[in-house]
Amino acid sequence: MKEKLDKIGQGAIKELEKVSDLKELEDLRVKYLGKRGKLTLVLRDMGKLDPKERPIVGQMANSIRKEIEEKISSIKDKLDEEVKKIRLEKEKIDITMTREKTRLGHKNPLIATIEELEDLFTSMGFTVIEGPEIETVENNFDALNTPANHPSRDHSDTFYINEDLLLRTHTSPVQIRAMKEMGAPLRIISAGRTFRFDDVDDTHSPMFHQLEGLVVDENVSMANLIHTLDIFIKELFGAGMKTRYRPHHFPFTEPSAEVDVSCISCMGQGCEQCNYTGWDMELLGCGMVHPQVLENCGIDSEKYTGFAFGMGIDRITMVKYGINDIRLLFENDNRFLQQF
Ligand code: DAH
């Protein structure tokens, strides 16, 4: 039996040394070590041996099995390596071919401004929400307390889709949606596209952008409005920035004001840019939400007050980045965008 085992071991090793692929290797494994393999079959006859011999033969069989297994495993490693090498060889790609360099895009300065404003206001506890560009006449005008004969409703100023729908002329209808959907208290901002009939020139475009803000809560006052906007303007343009609140009229706020800020070019010293006034005019409109607007949205105007503001963000972007033509913001010309 010992001889038989020896012979099997030597035979296996000899055959294994000639193996040239994985399939042959597997066949040999089955031939020797499989359920009906040579070694296995011999071991099955162990029972016929003298009990004294059994452990000795058992040990020998185990060491032969181990030897065969190790041989198989080392050959397998070698063959795997070769297969991999051949595959890599085949998959080689020609990296010498030239192609045009990928050009990375740049963030449009308008988008960068919107993101900066959103960051600023969220850090002050505002939530960013969105509203649709196609609005109802109800949300864009009626619920905002706009009188029936208000000039902004005119067909020569507003793009109507039909009697009830239009392209929103400002972001203020988002206030209405927010109050109707979420009720009070509320602290939101919303930026987006707005549309008014206008001829295109370097400062006008029929499509432009606004950012709207609204706070509704108990005991909200004009002092809160001024404080909030002052902080925002100093954060955006720098601590040296002064603000000026001029009385104005908006149908949806009472009282209402327009806000001017120090001229960016001269920081209030007076220069050609600001006609030597030191002020940059009409950065934004604001005011205390008209009680009728609160009531139109189902909010108790005895219990709640609010303030709102709206600003044109194309202009803010132009001032901030020193851009002198609004059209540059919308053309997406890479030569322009690459500067930012
Ligand atoms: N919607 C106004 C406009 O387009 C801007 C504005 C003024 C918004 C006062 C407001 C506000 O929320 O309170 O000119």
Side-chain angles (χ1 to χ4, degrees):
M1 187 133 188
K2 281 186 203 158
E3 265 168 45
K4 235 179 175 175
L5 282 171
D6 251 343
K7 232 167 115 189
I8 290 172
Q10 279 164 20
I13 300 294
K14 223 187 226 157
E15 276 197 87
L16 280 167
E17 265 158 7
K18 288 190 211 132
V19 159
S20 63
D21 66 39
L22 286 164
K23 160 116 188 34
E24 268 177 50
L25 186 68
E26 174 60 12
D27 288 347
L28 282 181
R29 191 191 65 76
V30 173
K31 180 171 167 187
Y32 286 96
L33 306 179
K35 254 192 197 150
R36 321 210 67 243
K38 281 190 173 182
L39 191 66
T40 320
L41 288 179
V42 173
L43 289 178
R44 254 187 221 164
D45 289 338
M46 287 255 291
K48 293 179 195 151
L49 287 176
D50 183 331
K52 274 195 209 139
E53 292 261 339
R54 267 183 225 162
I56 304 165
V57 174
Q59 216 172 33
M60 187 176 167
N62 273 336
S63 86
I64 289 176
R65 166 180 277 275
K66 212 170 138 210
E67 199 185 344
I68 296 176
E69 279 172 346
E70 276 166 8
K71 188 81 186 166
I72 288 178
S73 142
S74 88
I75 293 175
K76 188 169 182 309
D77 286 350
K78 223 167 72 196
L79 289 176
D80 279 344
E81 197 56 40
E82 271 168 31
V83 167
K84 202 164 109 191
K85 226 158 107 189
I86 290 169
R87 219 184 53 217
L88 284 177
E89 202 66 38
K90 264 203 233 150
E91 286 177 0
K92 218 184 217 167
I93 41 170
D94 181 4
I95 56 163
T96 60
M97 212 150 104
T98 55
R99 63 174 181 81
E100 213 190 322
K101 226 171 131 189
T102 307
R103 278 184 293 176
L104 287 182
H106 285 249
K107 210 172 256 184
N108 185 304
L110 178 68
I111 303 300
T113 304
I114 293 179
E115 287 176 0
E116 190 182 344
L117 293 174
E118 287 179 345
D119 279 352
L120 239 161
F121 279 109
T122 42
S123 77
M124 292 164 87
F126 286 76
T127 305
V128 177
I129 64 166
E130 275 183 47
E133 290 165 13
I134 297 177
E135 252 307 353
T136 58
V137 172
E138 156 77 18
N139 286 344
N140 194 85
F141 290 128
D142 303 336
L144 283 165
N145 204 30
T146 314
N149 61 353
H150 197 277
S152 63
R153 289 185 186 252
D154 202 286
H155 281 69
S156 62
D157 285 319
T158 297
F159 295 104
Y160 285 88
I161 290 165
N162 58 36
E163 241 176 67
D164 304 316
L165 291 177
L166 42 69
L167 297 185
R168 65 178 178 186
T169 61
H170 50 179
T171 42
S172 300
V174 187
Q175 290 185 25
I176 302 298
R177 289 178 175 271
M179 285 190 277
K180 281 185 177 167
E181 277 164 33
M182 300 183 248
L186 198 64
R187 208 184 290 186
I188 58 105
I189 58 156
S190 184
R193 284 193 191 114
T194 46
F195 307 85
R196 282 180 211 176
F197 204 90
D198 225 338
D199 287 330
V200 181
D201 64 24
D202 54 354
T203 54
H204 294 89
S205 160
M207 187 277 294
F208 55 106
H209 296 76
Q210 285 192 339
L211 182 137
E212 192 81 14
L214 171 70
V215 172
V216 179
D217 209 333
E218 291 177 50
N219 302 317
V220 173
S221 73
M222 193 92 188
N224 300 135
L225 163 64
I226 292 174
H227 181 65
T228 305
L229 291 181
D230 277 5
I231 290 180
F232 147 68
I233 285 162
K234 285 192 164 64
E235 285 287 332
L236 184 65
F237 291 114
M241 221 51 177
K242 289 208 183 85
T243 52
R244 178 170 81 174
Y245 294 76
R246 271 183 298 103
H248 198 76
H249 172 77
F250 296 106
F252 32 89
T253 42
E254 181 58 36
S256 308
E258 273 192 334
V259 185
D260 304 333
V261 295
S262 312
C263 170
I264 305 264
S265 307
C266 62
M267 284 314 275
Q269 295 305 302
C271 67
E272 208 171 325
Q273 203 82 16
C274 59
N275 275 328
Y276 299 95
T277 59
W279 294 101
D280 201 354
M281 307 284 273
E282 295 169 35
L283 183 76
L284 55 88
C286 62
M288 300 306 295
V289 180
H290 197 295
Q292 186 60 53
V293 174
L294 294 173
E295 295 294 337
N296 290 346
C297 301
I299 292 176
D300 182 355
S301 63
E302 294 292 330
K303 185 170 174 201
Y304 291 103
T305 48
F307 68 75
F309 52 91
M311 63 191 91
I313 40 192
D314 308 294
R315 254 217 50 224
I316 292 181
T317 307
M318 290 167 74
V319 170
K320 218 175 140 55
Y321 289 89
I323 296 164
N324 57 8
D325 191 331
I326 193 171
R327 289 167 286 204
L328 289 167
L329 294 178
F330 311 139
E331 283 166 353
N332 276 335
D333 186 332
N334 222 16
R335 290 167 302 179
F336 167 72
L337 294 177
Q338 263 167 356
Q339 301 172 64
F340 302 100

